[in-house]
Amino acid sequence: MSPDNPNLSRRDFIDLAGAAALSTATLPWLHRLMHPVQSDTWRLPNVQGHPCSERLLLIGDIHSGLTDSPPRQANTQALSALDNLVDHLQDYPFSLLVQMGDMIRETENKSTNTALYSQCLNVLCRLPFSAIHLLGNHDLYGISRDNLHQIFQQYGLNPFYGVREYNDFQVLWLDLVAPPDGSGTLPEATIAWLENTVYPDTPTFIFSHYGIMPQNSEGNFYFHGARRLTALANNREVWQALSGLPVQAVISAHMHWGSYSKVGNTHLITIPAFIENAASPDSDNCPGIYSVLEITDPHRFTLKSYFGSNCLLNIEADS
């Protein structure tokens, strides 16, 4: 089910048209962002896995931008790190990419933000398997939901929320409304869709930029003391709408670290951010962290997060 396509304002149309005309030839900073990053960490890990499993590539919080956000984020290097990652992983046997939201570190200029977003999409579109793209709060801050809908249509991307069926499980992704106060909300239309559309007898893996349940944020660089901002503001209504579904896992991003907890039979996981350089703050390198979800059967899966060939997070679920 696709959300309605609202009419764009004349100002938004001008912003989009201007962004479409931009290129690396006319924007020297885009050429600079695409300069290859040299790294000695790329010994490709073995992600071949079980021959009967589904392997999903997860990337969240790329935060490509024009200026760095010290410490920990070399935003100006994110695009070249993404280019490097795609070069190394495009021949691997993934069945799906899930881009978890926050592809940009927004600027004051909407046309620039749209150009940054499009540059990331152009790189990810080189991957030879299908993709699901989620909305992130920074994407919405910098571009707006209406303009993102236009971009999704231009690139032939997925609806903002939906479900994809596999042999014995389903993958479900959620959209987002993000006001400037840092909170995130699932639209009422999506909650109604959850209650009435999804198959209640099928094991389900859910992807959402924000968590569905508030998470422990103690010690988190961005959310320490702000636990409510780690999850959807209307998370109780969302959880109630999911109460009839056998939800195996909810996988989110947003917090920039890897974490795990469990509520009932549901595994709650956050993946580390692509951009986050926690080991060497203030460096000019983007680590390019990515995650691999391997689903062997609806009740057995692993999720591993990598920096190059180095595994940062390893979760094995058998329930």
Side-chain angles (χ1 to χ4, degrees):
M1 178 183 298
S2 174
D4 292 335
N5 181 14
N7 293 326
L8 295 176
S9 69
R10 182 175 182 275
R11 177 63 184 174
D12 287 338
F13 177 82
I14 291 172
D15 285 338
L16 278 172
L22 299 178
S23 68
T24 55
T26 57
L27 289 177
W29 53 266
L30 279 178
H31 177 76
R32 185 170 66 253
L33 288 178
M34 289 299 293
H35 183 71
V37 169
Q38 301 299 321
S39 172
D40 59 1
T41 63
W42 286 105
R43 285 181 302 102
L44 295 185
N46 177 17
V47 297
Q48 306 296 324
H50 191 280
C52 296
S53 64
E54 296 285 350
R55 285 166 295 277
L56 284 65
L57 173 62
L58 315 181
I59 303 176
D61 297 288
I62 296 169
H63 285 295
S64 179
L66 296 185
T67 58
D68 293 338
S69 305
R72 303 165 71 106
Q73 291 190 36
N75 307 90
T76 56
Q77 299 303 311
L79 190 60
S80 56
L82 186 65
D83 188 62
N84 193 35
L85 178 69
V86 167
D87 280 346
H88 283 88
L89 294 185
Q90 60 186 348
D91 295 328
Y92 271 58
F94 295 110
S95 56
L96 181 69
L97 162 70
V98 184
Q99 186 275 114
M100 300 284 295
D102 276 1
M103 280 212 295
I104 64 169
R105 180 67 177 179
E106 74 278 7
T107 71
E108 295 295 326
N109 186 286
K110 288 186 178 181
S111 294
T112 299
N113 296 334
T114 302
L116 286 167
Y117 196 92
S118 297
Q119 286 293 315
C120 289
L121 283 178
N122 290 337
V123 173
L124 291 174
C125 283
R126 300 208 317 264
L127 292 169
F129 40 86
S130 60
I132 292 171
H133 293 270
L134 274 61
L135 301 179
N137 53 303
H138 285 276
D139 305 326
L140 290 163
Y141 298 157
I143 301 176
S144 85
R145 187 180 172 96
D146 293 351
N147 286 2
L148 282 164
H149 184 81
Q150 183 78 3
I151 294 170
F152 273 46
Q153 285 194 321
Q154 288 174 344
Y155 277 83
L157 305 183
N158 52 276
F160 283 166
Y161 60 89
V163 62
R164 182 171 297 192
E165 298 174 56
Y166 289 81
N167 288 336
D168 50 5
F169 65 90
Q170 62 190 356
V171 165
L172 187 154
W173 67 96
L174 303 179
D175 60 338
L176 183 66
V177 173
D181 63 0
S183 65
T185 304
L186 192 66
E188 291 297 324
T190 311
I191 295 177
W193 174 80
L194 285 174
E195 294 173 331
N196 298 306
T197 304
V198 222
Y199 301 108
D201 58 346
T202 305
T204 303
F205 293 81
I206 297 178
F207 294 96
S208 172
H209 183 70
Y210 281 69
I212 290 183
M213 299 292 286
Q215 302 172 60
N216 182 358
S217 62
E218 183 177 356
N220 186 280
F221 185 80
Y222 303 97
F223 297 98
H224 183 80
R227 186 170 183 262
R228 69 177 183 85
L229 298 180
T230 65
L232 295 166
N234 54 348
N235 60 86
R236 292 185 179 182
E237 293 87 341
V238 176
W239 195 253
Q240 179 61 37
L242 295 169
S243 61
L245 282 174
V247 180
Q248 301 301 108
V250 177
I251 300 170
S252 58
H254 186 56
M255 292 186 70
H256 284 224
W257 69 8
S259 69
Y260 172 84
S261 60
K262 192 174 182 181
V263 175
N265 294 319
T266 300
H267 305 274
L268 305 178
I269 302 169
T270 61
I271 63 169
F274 179 90
I275 189 71
E276 193 70 18
N277 197 340
S280 302
D282 292 314
S283 77
D284 58 356
N285 292 320
C286 169
I289 296 170
Y290 65 98
S291 300
V292 178
L293 173 65
E294 182 174 350
I295 304 172
T296 305
D297 64 53
H299 304 285
R300 293 176 57 212
F301 68 89
T302 63
L303 190 148
K304 296 183 179 182
S305 299
Y306 292 95
F307 165 43
S309 60
N310 305 304
C311 186
L312 306 177
L313 179 70
N314 181 17
I315 296 169
E316 299 182 8
D318 191 349
S319 59

